[in-house]
Amino acid sequence: MTIRAGAVEPVTRRTAHRTRYDEYAVTVPRSGDRAVVAVPRGATPSAVAYYLHGRTGDERSIDDRAGLRDGLLDAGYVVASPYLHGDLWGNRSAQDAVVALDEWVSRRWPVLRRFLIGESMGGNAAANAVRLREVPWDGAVFIAPSLSLRAVWERGEHGRDTVREAFDLSADGHDLEPKTEGWDAVRHRPGDYVGVPIRVYASREDEVANITGVTGPWVEMIRRGSDSAEFVEVSGPHVSEDHFRAAEIVAFFGTIR
């Protein structure tokens, strides 16, 4: 089912705790981007959480994080997951998809609070969304966030190809720094995040979201401009199950008013 404009009958599902919710498969008119939007039944939701997928993911990647999705739905949140036009590392096109989806959601449900959850590549997308403030974010959670485009490039693998495509880089990447200026979270300024409480989940066993070289220094950078950055060390490799602590994330969002 694809909703292009107006309301269409959604698919009704249940969470593991039996909360009934309506799931909409959406093609957002303004951006043309796909998204999945889940809305709990029986109450008028006043908050929405946007889940931004990792590399090779899409709008249905939220299904792989069912515990997180269900925890948010059980707590009464709308849960929205855009495709972000693919593996674009939070670039301008990805940001346009987030803004367009928020406009679509906001026209249909009276949401007053807006939260971000960025996983891996989606962490860089979420960092840029906070920096740009094109949506009035109330808080954000970064899960094993891949926050350094230079680190992605130097690892090679398929990630290098996606960074090259996302920012129209040369084959050898000599223009990486100038073309990603402003879009590379590790080069942001502490003031970019002032006023938005952030919690980061990362593991020392994770070679992608490296705590020593990337994630830890990034959190310390934020703390130079704000005292609202929290760091939670978890265990396991990149995006291990221990990263996805649904009850903690729901509680964290609940403290933000």
Side-chain angles (χ1 to χ4, degrees), residues 130 133 136-139 190-198 222 225-228 256-257:
V130 172
R133 308 296 173 103
W137 303 112
D138 291 282
D192 292 335
Y193 304 96
V194 170
V196 181
I198 294 173
I222 294 177
S226 171
D227 60 358
S228 59
I256 302 169
R257 301 296 178 188

Side-chain angles (χ1 to χ4, degrees), residues 15 26 134 142 144 175 178 203 207:
T15 70
V26 178
E134 294 169 340
F142 296 172
D175 49 356
S203 167
E207 296 180 357

Side-chain angles (χ1 to χ4, degrees), residues 6 32 150 152 162 177 191 198 200 210 215 229:
R150 168 59 65 185
V152 175
T162 59
E177 302 297 334
I198 294 173
V200 177
N210 182 277
T215 313

Side-chain angles (χ1 to χ4, degrees), residues 222-241:
I222 294 177
R223 287 174 173 167
R224 289 198 294 272
S226 171
D227 60 358
S228 59
E230 300 181 13
F231 181 84
V232 179
E233 184 171 338
V234 299
S235 63
H238 190 56
V239 298
S240 69
E241 184 176 346

Side-chain angles (χ1 to χ4, degrees), residues 120-131:
S120 191
M121 180 189 73
N124 198 69
N128 279 289
V130 172
R131 173 181 66 86

Side-chain angles (χ1 to χ4, degrees), residues 21-154:
Y21 67 95
D22 293 331
E23 181 182 273
Y24 298 85
V26 178
T27 298
V28 181
R30 175 177 160 182
S31 66
D33 194 41
R34 305 192 307 267
V36 171
V37 180
V39 185
R41 302 189 101 189
T44 301
S46 62
V48 56
Y50 291 93
Y51 165 82
L52 308 186
H53 65 79
R55 185 169 63 83
T56 75
D58 59 25
E59 75 279 11
R60 295 246 58 120
S61 295
I62 190 64
D63 294 339
D64 297 329
R65 311 305 179 201
L68 177 59
R69 178 200 62 206
D70 288 3
L72 290 162
L73 287 166
D74 290 339
Y77 289 79
V78 175
V79 180
S81 175
Y83 176 45
L84 300 177
H85 297 295
D87 293 346
L88 297 182
W89 293 94
N91 72 359
R92 183 66 262 171
S93 181
Q95 298 303 320
D96 290 343
V98 173
V99 172
L101 179 56
D102 182 67
E103 290 180 354
W104 190 93
V105 168
S106 299
R107 285 196 300 267
R108 286 156 179 80
W109 296 281
V111 293
L112 301 175
R113 295 183 298 149
R114 293 165 175 82
F115 300 100
L116 274 170
I117 301 172
E119 173 185 332
S120 191
M121 180 189 73
N124 198 69
N128 279 289
V130 172
R131 173 181 66 86
L132 292 167
R133 308 296 173 103
E134 294 169 340
V135 172
W137 303 112
D138 291 282
V141 166
F142 296 172
I143 297 174
S146 187
L147 299 169
S148 169
L149 297 176
R150 168 59 65 185
V152 175
W153 183 269
E154 291 178 350

